[in-house]
Amino acid sequence: MTERSTTDTRAADWYTSTLVSLPARSVALVLAGGKGSRLRTTADPELYGTPKVLVPIDAPTGRAPMLGHALTRLAAAGFRRIAVLTSTDPASGAEAVETYALTHSARQVELTIHREDHPLGTAGAVYAALAHLSDTPAAVVLPADTLFPFTLLPSAVAAHPSRSAAVTWTVTTVPGQGAQNAGRLFLDPEGEFVVHALEGVDATLPAGSRQGLRQATSTGAVILAPAGFRALFEEYARRLVHPAEADLYRQFMPWAISQGHPVGAYDIRTPAPDLGTPDRLAAFGRTTV
């Protein structure tokens, strides 16, 4: 009996698997409040007169606005709750964006719109939206203007709890041609945590400090434990002289890392092009005109 018990224990320890699926009530928060200032530098009337996330792109799902591509692919990846975050800035075209989202979301998706009351920045907008989504166990933040490989999101969400962090930053060590802010993140030797973030700043990490670290690029997608993120954001906000806009990538997460809070890393090992400039839109999102 003793030998059988040992064998059974070894079997239970060895024959294991990871459940790669989205927890029930998970939510995808789509950042759709950008003004598209860089796209409007071109004479192209479609880019100049269209809200950024409604600019059509050529994607595997067919020609559709950036936001439509994101909504379609998120639903296909298994998300049944999607929150679209919009801005009060007239240049963002919030009303047109919101009308499009409500009209083109998949029937099986519970879609909500969260328009900030005043400029909050991406981190502030996520914090505010999560106040209305208190029953969600996991959240994914994703810019609408990024060609993210959405089929990888369930794996990223499944890996997040093992990081024991409020936030996991989805990164790539294979950014591809034309990636924005390439190589401005540095991961620990195991590749599980972001230990330096140079996003949004001009500082560089001294060469001697890079030894043993893995260089990576942000993909824009961020996995959140909602309660943990909200608590951490409140700590961040308490240190401000007065409430202000807070950018998720350039301010909040670099601050968290600098304060010793763990920020997880999940390497998708494939490009996720950002389409926020005319050059990158032409290269990756507009194979036909």
Side-chain angles (χ1 to χ4, degrees), residues 2-238:
T2 301
E3 183 179 352
R4 182 177 180 182
S5 177
T6 301
T7 302
D8 289 346
T9 301
R10 289 176 180 173
D13 289 343
W14 196 82
Y15 293 97
T16 61
S17 64
T18 299
L19 178 62
V20 181
S21 62
L22 296 170
R25 307 296 290 168
S26 296
V27 63
L29 294 93
V30 181
L31 301 174
K35 294 182 289 185
S37 301
R38 294 174 296 177
L39 291 180
R40 290 195 173 100
T41 60
T42 176
D44 184 330
E46 185 174 59
L47 299 185
Y48 191 81
T50 306
K52 179 171 74 169
V53 300
L54 298 186
V55 170
I57 61 172
D58 300 316
T61 53
R63 188 166 175 81
M66 296 180 191
L67 180 57
H69 171 68
L71 294 176
T72 299
R73 297 303 300 274
L74 284 168
F79 284 92
R80 294 297 172 261
R81 299 179 82 190
I82 299 176
V84 176
L85 278 52
T86 63
S87 170
T88 55
D89 192 318
S92 71
E95 290 188 5
V97 171
E98 293 163 5
T99 298
Y100 178 87
L102 292 169
T103 304
H104 291 81
S105 63
R107 292 183 179 180
Q108 70 271 28
V109 169
E110 175 188 331
L111 186 135
T112 54
I113 304 291
H114 303 260
R115 186 192 298 178
E116 59 190 7
D117 293 335
H118 44 264
L120 300 176
T122 47
V126 169
Y127 172 82
L130 288 174
H132 302 281
L133 302 164
S134 58
D135 63 333
T136 185
V140 176
V141 180
L142 193 77
D145 62 350
T146 298
L147 289 179
F148 190 88
F150 292 86
T151 55
L152 299 181
L153 283 175
S155 295
V157 173
H160 173 67
S162 68
R163 305 302 191 261
S164 299
V167 180
T168 291
W169 201 335
T170 303
V171 304
T172 180
T173 51
V174 188
Q177 183 181 8
Q180 182 182 18
N181 296 331
R184 297 181 69 81
L185 302 180
F186 291 86
L187 316 183
D188 67 341
E190 291 73 34
E192 293 190 352
F193 294 92
V194 182
V195 295
H196 292 285
L198 305 179
E199 285 264 320
V201 296
D202 294 328
T204 57
L205 186 65
S209 303
R210 302 183 184 190
Q211 188 172 1
L213 301 183
R214 302 186 184 186
Q215 202 164 0
T217 299
S218 171
T219 69
V222 177
I223 317 300
L224 306 177
F229 170 80
R230 282 179 55 82
L232 191 57
F233 184 85
E234 288 167 4
E235 179 183 336
Y236 168 85
R238 283 195 297 269

